[in-house]
Amino acid sequence: MGAAGSKLEKALGDQFPEGERYFGLENFGNTCYCNSVLQVSILHPPNSIALYFCVPFREQLLEYYSSNKSAGDAEENLLTCLADLFTQISSQKKKTGVIAPKRFVQRLKKQNELFRSYMHQDAHEFLNFLLNELVDILEKEAQAAKSDQETTSPPEKMGNGPKNVQANGTHKDPLVTWVHKNFQNLIIFNGYSSQGILTNETRCLRCETVTARDEIFLDLSLDIEQNSSITSCLKNFSSTETLNAEDKFFCDKCCSLQEAQKRMKIKKPPHILVIHLKRFKYIEQLGRYKKLSYRVVFPLELKLSNTVEDAESEYSLFAVVVHVGSGPNHGHYVSLVKSHNHWLFFDDENVEMIDESAVQTFFGSAQEYSSNTDHGYILFYESLGTSNKS
């Protein structure tokens, strides 16, 4: 990416962020689904879901890499491979260029057979798998370290994070890793979450009893409609559904099946809101999945007022993963990332600066058949307030 890199450096000029690295990622044959997510992860504003540009996460990941490297016998996993990739980028002398994430991709394919073929893969499935895997690895390592410490330390001095549930069933605080702290909407442990909580409310229409069930969420997957907006999609997400006929709800108070109304709410909004637009829909008449090229407007500033129980939450868009192509089984992924108030366009090895107004060209197509096949697929929003931070 020599020429492209030089072009980017010239475009930014004196505004090139000090100490920053803007690198493209080599494609190993249909690995754009991986590159687009990693590039979103590599370039983000501080304190966001972004991995590399989430400064606390990056520092801890690089420290993790350094500790495991000195240990010499650390088992290779996706976390160590990701740490190795971040280290490669952060240690580059050049400001721009291309990195080959070969080790990471090899580990990914070894660990999950879904990604072993050269077929077109889903960037959303990869994102979910990656983040859940990082949390699982750190939880296992923390539990192992805690077990080792318990054999040599008095119970009152057990360190390495909050306590968990004991074997006798007595309550202990859930384990929180540094991934949890940086990915506040990705806290997944023992069925408990302190951030990014959805509440599933069901009201019995006979006795009016409301049953509420909380669950954490990795992201919000929204159904989409033609010529709609994220705001309208969120309203539909939280709309009331009536359960009747064969879908009646079993009410514990009535001790029988009853008609009920069901609604999903965001009880506690995350610091980072990840929105997945469900552009791939199974059409029974066709017997296959079809890509919905619908035009869905996603604003640069988003207000969550109709889905949150408490005060209104405001978010700012900082990254978009875009699917390019007319169908679900073929195509390409690219990403848009806002870094230091500049919007960058990432297409595997190529990185270039774009104007903020260009973001709207990825809303989708107003007509079913259009030459424009570049559509926003995964949106990343960061909270503008501090109420969600812990």
Side-chain angles (χ1 to χ4, degrees), residues 6 24 26 30 32 95 125 146 157 161 211 226 254 327 359 365:
S6 300
E26 184 178 338
N30 262 352
C32 57
K95 295 180 179 179
E125 291 183 0
K146 184 187 295 185
K157 291 186 179 181
T211 302
Q226 178 61 286
C254 298
V359 175
S365 307

Side-chain angles (χ1 to χ4, degrees), residues 290-301:
K290 175 185 178 182
K291 180 181 178 181
L292 304 179
S293 60
Y294 298 161
R295 186 175 188 272
V296 182
V297 176
F298 45 89
L300 297 177
E301 305 294 331

Side-chain angles (χ1 to χ4, degrees), residues 14 23 41 52 63-64 82 107 114 130 139 170 178 194 220 239 255 267 292-293 323 355 360 372:
D14 296 336
F23 275 71
S41 303
Y52 187 81
E63 181 181 347
Y64 176 90
L82 185 64
R107 183 66 205 185
L114 177 67
L130 173 63
E139 285 185 339
T170 56
W178 49 267
S194 63
L220 293 181
S239 62
C255 295
K267 182 177 181 179
L292 304 179
S293 60
H323 180 267
D355 191 78
Q360 62 185 310
N372 177 21

Side-chain angles (χ1 to χ4, degrees), residues 74-97:
E75 179 183 356
E76 181 181 279
N77 53 46
L78 276 182
L79 182 57
T80 60
C81 292
L82 185 64
D84 179 63
L85 177 61
F86 280 15
T87 302
Q88 287 185 54
I89 296 172
S90 64
S91 61
Q92 292 294 317
K93 294 182 179 180
K94 294 182 179 180
K95 295 180 179 179
T96 60

Side-chain angles (χ1 to χ4, degrees), residues 369-383:
Y369 299 102
S370 172
S371 58
N372 177 21
T373 63
D374 304 2
H375 309 131
Y377 184 47
I378 309 174
L379 314 176
F380 297 81
Y381 282 92
E382 181 181 22
S383 173

Side-chain angles (χ1 to χ4, degrees), residues 176-203:
V176 180
T177 71
W178 49 267
V179 174
H180 294 139
K181 295 176 182 178
N182 288 287
F183 292 74
Q184 294 177 355
N185 57 323
L186 308 180
I187 305 182
I188 304 171
F189 44 88
N190 298 332
Y192 176 86
S193 172
S194 63
Q195 295 286 344
I197 303 176
L198 286 174
T199 294
N200 191 336
E201 291 185 349
T202 306
R203 181 187 299 274

Side-chain angles (χ1 to χ4, degrees), residues 98-116:
V98 178
I99 289 287
K102 187 175 182 179
R103 183 184 173 202
F104 179 87
V105 172
Q106 287 178 336
R107 183 66 205 185
L108 173 68
K109 292 183 176 183
K110 181 179 180 180
Q111 197 146 335
N112 191 327
E113 62 180 357
L114 177 67
F115 305 111
R116 288 176 192 170

